[in-house]
């Protein structure tokens, strides 16, 4: 949450920062701001709202500074406002800071600093942080980097920060703990950002900063130390990110682009790993602990949000195909409830961003108890990918729309591949079933392509229900987590209240909600619970509910009962969530657009949840 960007080099910094902020806006859009060094003065420009508001504020001006920092905010301490927007500066206005994260002991620090006579202009923890650095610098007469280093040993919390100073005008100081930070290496220039998207068009050489590292960056030099001032080795990585993948490519929204990208992203996820003709399944990232995974007595899955829904589907697949008991946990609950984890237990962490604070903390907890951790992560080089023992990347490409779509289907693909590999090794499925499932999996991209052809029909249905105040989503078996995911998608981007339920649970409460105004989306594809869900549809129809049913191509029974049906191609039930979720993604997208909502940047949300 919050995007940070910094530049030092020979080019005008402002356009680089502004473009970088637009790329990072998915991380938060409560306010945006930049700080530049114009001659010897700090020029801080900031505005509540989106980056476009900041752009309007600055459109008639030119800036010559070749050093600067920028920030797009997801509010934690203090409401979204001009005064709480970053960058913040010190009381003497000589230091400016941008910060992603939370300083937990800011209250005590603020009291201490207030007693010394400092005054604060904002409600933020970040202003306290920079004032604290200012105080240390002045009291101990230190350089900027030493003052920052000492301050970092005294603050509690998470941060990715970049600081600049009028007194040391050719230097940026950057540091991280618990929040992501990447440094791009150019020729006599450096770029700093929360992720590689603002950097990729300038350089493909990057360093991923580690926790508690501090970078001292001048135009010609980069030095990294830890908080004890011990020099750190930095590994230079080559970015494997294409500029097109972070642009809309002609689509109206990133979310729509990402929905339609799924045939390709699922194929990319399987590329080089799955060969159905040869019966081969190779997951290069799962090697050393492969035996432990295959022989696991239990698997715990931790994740949040949509990734947690992917975990629920995995529970069905692992138990069904591998006969291994699975527990799927919200990372935020797991980390605080003293879970029973023993040496050698297996934990799978699922995360698109690889930066989700609760998932990271859950991993750290399990790791401290001796668990073996596997990551199913999209963002290469992210914190989760680096702290897990082994894992598999999704290779779905950057997901920029805040609502997760292509990451979900790629997560399901990886988890299905892991399950199939275990099942084949353990012999819990026959060779012929294994082969059959490999073929089915390989055919999924084509089936998703077909499912996407329902777009016009889904749009038509969306126009009929766009003003609904509530929705119910019901599914059974493998399609139950899909119902949860469909409801989440609708809630988060259209702001319509929606609930997902196992269809059979309806009669234990939610059925009371059903009347002629209640749209009920059934995910009712042909599988082992088909007959049961047909009865559930009838129960809703006899109470005058409006039924929208996702059915398998060629179904003749449900279309006679439902008000609207959307067909998807048939596949094995364990893989059906990959296909049945597609119309639900489209439904939420079209309803949100018709309601005038900003689908790529829904209110109060941010893409990467780096606070707990
Ligand atoms: C919903 C959504 C969120 C994320 C959740 C976990 O569309 O995107 O619910 O799934 O915040 O994020 P990751 O997967 O990055 O750990």
């Amino acid at each position: 949450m919050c995007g940070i960007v910094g530049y030092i080099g020979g080019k005008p910094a402002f356009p680089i920062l502004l473009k970088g902020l637009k790329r990072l806006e998915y991380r938060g859009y409560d306010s945006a701001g930049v700080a530049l060094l114009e001659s010897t003065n700090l020029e801080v420009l900031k505005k509540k709202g989106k980056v476009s508001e900041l752009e309007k504020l600055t459109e008639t001006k030119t800036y010559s500074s070749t050093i600067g920092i920028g920030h797009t905010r997801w509010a934690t301490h203090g409401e979204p406002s001009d005064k709480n927007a970053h960058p913040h500066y010190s009381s003497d206005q000589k230091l400016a800071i941008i910060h992603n994260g939370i300083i937990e002991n800011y209250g005590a620090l603020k009291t201490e600093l207030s007693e010394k006579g400092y005054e604060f202009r904002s409600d933020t923890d970040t202003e306290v942080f920079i004032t604290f650095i200012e105080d240390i610098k002045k009291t101990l007469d230190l350089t900027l980097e030493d003052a920052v280093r000492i301050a970092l040993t005294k603050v509690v919390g998470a941060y990715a920060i970049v600081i600049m100073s009028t007194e040391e005008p050719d230097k940026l100081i950057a540091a991280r703990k618990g929040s992501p930070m990447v440094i791009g290496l150019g020729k006599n220039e450096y770029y700093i950002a929360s992720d590689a998207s603002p950097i990729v068009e300038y350089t493909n050489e990057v360093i991923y900063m580690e926790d508690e590292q501090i970078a001292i960056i001048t135009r010609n030099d980069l030095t990294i130390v830890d908080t004890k001032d011990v020099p750190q080795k930095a590994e230079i990585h080559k970015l494997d990110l294409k500029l097109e993948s972070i642009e809309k490519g002609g689509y109206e929204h990133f979310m729509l682009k990402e929905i339609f990208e799924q045939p390709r992203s699922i194929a990319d996820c399987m590329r080089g790993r799955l060969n159905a003709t040869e019966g081969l399944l190779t997951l290069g990232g799962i090697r050393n602990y492969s035996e432990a995974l295959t022989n696991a007595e239990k698997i715990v899955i931790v994740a949040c949000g949509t990734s947690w829904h992917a975990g629920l589907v995995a529970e069905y697949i692992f138990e069904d195909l591998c006969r291994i008991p699975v527990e799927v946990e919200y990372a935020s609950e797991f980390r605080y409830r003293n879970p029973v984890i023993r040496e050698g237990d297996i934990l799978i962490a699922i995360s698109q961003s690889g930066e989700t604070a609760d998932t990271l903390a859950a991993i750290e907890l399990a790791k401290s108890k001796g668990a073996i951790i596997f990551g199913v992560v999209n963002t290469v080089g992210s914190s989760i990918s680096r702290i897990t023992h082994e894992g598999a990347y999704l290779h779905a490409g950057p997901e920029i729309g805040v609502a997760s779509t292509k990451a979900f289907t790629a997560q399901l693909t990886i988890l299905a591949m892991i399950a199939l590999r275990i099942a084949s090794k353990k012999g819990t499925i026959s060779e012929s079933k294994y082969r059959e499932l490999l073929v089915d999996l390989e055919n999924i991209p084509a089936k998703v392509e077909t499912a996407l052809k329902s777009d016009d029909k889904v749009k038509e249905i969306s126009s009929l229900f766009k003003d609904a105040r509530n929705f119910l989503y019901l599914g059974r078996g493998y399609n139950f987590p899909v119902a949860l995911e469909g409801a989440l998608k609708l809630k988060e981007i259209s702001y319509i209240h929606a609930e997902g339920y196992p269809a059979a649970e309806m009669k234990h409460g939610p059925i009371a909600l059903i009347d002629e105004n209640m749209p009920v989306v059934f995910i009712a594809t042909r599988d082992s619970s088909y007959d049961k869900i047909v009865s559930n549809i009838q129960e809703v129809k006899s109470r005058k509910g409006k039924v929208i049913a996702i059915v398998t191509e060629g179904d003749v029974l449900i279309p006679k009962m439902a008000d609207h049906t959307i067909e998807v191609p048939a596949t094995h039930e364990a893989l059906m969530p990959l296909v049945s979720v597609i119309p639900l993604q489209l439904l939420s997208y079209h309803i949100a657009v018709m309601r005038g909502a900003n689908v790529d940047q829904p209110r109060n949300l941010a893409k990467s949840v780096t606070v707990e």
Side-chain angles (χ1 to χ4, degrees):
M1 280 161 163
C2 296
I4 61 168
V5 59
Y7 174 75
I8 179 166
K11 301 196 272 251
F14 183 64
I16 295 170
L17 299 177
L18 198 64
K19 203 174 208 184
L21 289 181
K22 287 184 184 163
R23 296 247 157 89
L24 291 172
E25 203 168 16
Y26 72 89
R27 302 178 67 88
Y29 27 84
D30 289 331
S31 62
V34 295
L36 301 162
L37 263 181
E38 291 298 310
S39 65
T40 53
N41 292 328
L42 259 186
E43 176 105 358
V44 176
L45 308 145
K46 50 189 192 174
K47 194 78 195 135
K48 177 181 169 189
K50 299 194 187 307
V51 179
S52 53
E53 296 301 318
L54 174 70
E55 203 171 9
K56 274 187 222 151
L57 183 77
T58 54
E59 67 197 351
T60 55
K61 303 189 185 141
T62 50
Y63 303 97
S64 56
S65 177
T66 53
I67 177 171
I69 55 180
H71 187 271
T72 176
R73 178 169 187 245
W74 186 83
T76 56
H77 292 61
E79 59 172 14
S81 64
D82 290 353
K83 77 170 182 182
N84 288 332
H86 295 219
H88 289 283
Y89 39 88
S90 53
S91 72
D92 61 8
Q93 308 209 356
K94 289 183 176 165
L95 306 177
I97 184 172
I98 47 171
H99 171 213
N100 168 24
I102 291 179
I103 301 304
E104 288 168 12
N105 58 338
Y106 90 105
L109 293 175
K110 192 168 186 176
T111 310
E112 202 180 295
L113 291 163
S114 302
E115 281 165 5
K116 289 186 174 179
Y118 288 100
E119 286 177 7
F120 298 91
R121 306 168 201 90
S122 76
D123 312 316
T124 64
D125 52 338
T126 307
E127 191 188 7
V128 174
F129 197 178
I130 193 66
T131 311
F132 183 50
I133 293 169
E134 172 188 11
D135 185 58
I136 291 175
K137 186 170 173 349
K138 282 184 180 157
T139 316
L140 303 176
D141 191 20
L142 296 175
T143 59
L144 180 58
E145 58 261 39
D146 284 342
V148 171
R149 197 168 47 73
I150 288 168
L152 294 183
T153 60
K154 297 186 193 296
V155 295
V156 179
Y159 52 80
I161 51 168
V162 190
I163 298 173
M164 57 196 280
S165 162
T166 55
E167 290 180 334
E168 296 173 61
D170 298 314
K171 192 185 277 180
L172 290 176
I173 307 293
R176 76 155 267 180
K177 182 181 175 193
S179 297
M181 178 178 277
V182 189
I183 300 180
L185 318 178
K187 195 159 183 284
N188 298 329
E189 59 178 7
Y190 292 93
Y191 301 82
I192 306 155
S194 300
D195 67 35
S197 60
I199 296 176
V200 62
E201 71 187 90
Y202 308 108
T203 175
N204 68 352
E205 290 199 333
V206 295
I207 290 171
Y208 295 103
M209 291 277 283
E210 301 287 345
D211 273 354
E212 306 205 12
Q213 287 187 336
I214 303 162
I216 301 117
I217 311 168
T218 63
R219 285 180 178 76
N220 306 316
D221 190 40
L222 165 69
T223 310
I224 300 181
V225 296
D226 67 7
T227 49
K228 296 191 183 74
D229 208 16
V230 177
Q232 305 285 296
K233 276 209 186 106
E235 196 184 333
I236 299 177
H237 296 260
K238 285 266 180 253
L239 271 184
D240 183 22
L241 179 68
K242 301 265 175 308
L243 196 54
E244 315 84 83
S245 67
I246 52 170
E247 292 182 337
K248 282 192 199 146
Y251 284 90
E252 204 181 328
H253 296 102
F254 279 110
M255 183 181 177
L256 192 63
K257 175 186 174 223
E258 287 158 6
I259 292 174
F260 274 87
E261 252 170 27
Q262 289 175 105
R264 203 187 70 210
S265 53
I266 297 170
D268 287 346
C269 179
M270 295 190 287
R271 194 179 315 284
R273 291 168 163 165
L274 174 71
N275 181 335
T277 322
E278 305 284 329
L280 292 177
L281 198 45
T282 334
L283 289 165
I286 301 179
R287 214 180 281 265
N288 301 334
Y289 296 93
S290 167
E291 286 303 307
L293 184 59
T294 306
N295 300 319
E297 281 177 18
K298 172 182 98 172
I299 293 175
V300 178
I301 296 180
V302 292
C304 303
T306 288
S307 299
W308 184 79
H309 296 156
L312 281 185
V313 176
E315 177 182 14
Y316 284 74
I317 303 185
F318 279 97
E319 296 205 341
D320 187 6
L321 303 185
C322 317
R323 309 305 300 145
I324 301 176
V326 175
E327 285 166 22
V328 189
E329 302 262 4
Y330 283 118
S332 53
E333 289 298 313
F334 178 84
R335 63 181 288 197
Y336 286 121
R337 68 163 182 76
N338 197 13
V340 180
I341 296 286
R342 285 177 293 250
E343 183 89 30
D345 278 358
I346 302 290
L347 184 130
I348 300 180
I350 309 173
S351 175
Q352 187 288 127
S353 62
E355 301 293 347
T356 301
D358 283 321
T359 310
L360 263 168
I363 294 170
E364 270 155 10
L365 173 71
K367 217 172 161 184
S368 72
K369 292 178 186 263
I372 302 169
I373 320 286
F374 293 88
V376 175
V377 172
N378 195 32
T379 308
V380 176
S382 56
S383 304
I384 293 179
S385 71
R386 285 183 286 135
I387 65 165
T388 46
H389 292 103
E390 292 207 307
Y393 280 120
L394 305 184
H395 296 313
E399 189 179 65
I400 294 171
V402 165
S404 186
T405 52
K406 65 174 179 171
F408 177 69
T409 47
Q411 287 164 347
L412 298 184
T413 307
I414 291 282
L415 291 161
M417 287 195 283
I418 296 176
L420 280 168
R421 219 177 71 154
I422 297 176
S424 149
K425 281 196 172 176
K426 277 182 77 170
T428 43
I429 55 173
S430 65
E431 177 66 15
S432 61
K433 186 164 180 192
Y434 169 69
R435 290 287 193 133
E436 198 185 302
L437 275 160
L438 288 189
V439 172
D440 285 345
L441 194 51
E442 208 169 60
N443 287 334
I444 288 293
K447 294 191 174 175
V448 168
E449 190 83 61
T450 310
L452 286 166
K453 296 208 170 94
S454 65
D455 189 38
D456 285 343
K457 177 143 197 210
V458 176
K459 201 167 173 181
E460 220 179 283
I461 296 172
S462 304
S463 67
L464 303 174
F465 292 100
K466 68 178 190 341
D467 298 319
R469 296 173 59 108
N470 298 288
F471 262 77
L472 259 185
Y473 284 72
L474 302 175
R476 300 183 76 127
Y478 281 103
N479 279 325
F480 157 55
V482 178
L484 296 182
E485 176 58 7
L488 177 62
K489 287 289 88 88
L490 189 73
K491 279 187 267 217
E492 64 181 332
I493 59 168
S494 70
Y495 319 139
I496 296 176
H497 170 246
E499 282 192 51
Y501 253 91
E505 271 293 304
M506 180 182 62
K507 50 189 164 301
H508 300 288
I511 200 164
L513 294 168
I514 292 174
D515 61 16
E516 66 281 8
N517 297 316
M518 175 63 93
V520 185
V521 180
F522 275 94
I523 302 97
T525 50
R526 268 208 178 274
D527 58 20
S528 43
S529 18
Y530 179 79
D531 294 340
K532 307 273 177 215
I533 208 158
V534 166
S535 309
N536 298 139
I537 293 176
Q538 272 163 341
E539 286 155 15
V540 169
K541 276 319 298 171
S542 44
R543 285 158 184 86
K544 299 194 169 48
K546 295 278 177 291
V547 171
I548 304 162
I550 313 299
V551 300
T552 309
E553 262 170 8
D555 189 320
V556 286
L557 182 60
I558 296 180
K560 289 192 192 128
M561 296 183 257
D563 298 270
H564 307 276
T565 49
I566 301 163
E567 288 193 339
V568 293
T571 186
H572 188 282
E573 65 177 340
L575 306 178
M576 186 46 100
L578 281 154
V579 183
S580 58
V581 75
I582 303 294
L584 305 187
Q585 296 171 342
L586 290 168
L587 185 71
S588 64
Y589 172 78
H590 289 302
I591 290 183
V593 171
M594 286 170 193
R595 289 167 70 96
N598 184 340
V599 294
D600 280 340
Q601 294 169 348
R603 70 183 178 210
N604 306 337
L605 289 172
K607 184 72 184 159
S608 179
V609 185
T610 52
V611 295
E612 60 172 289

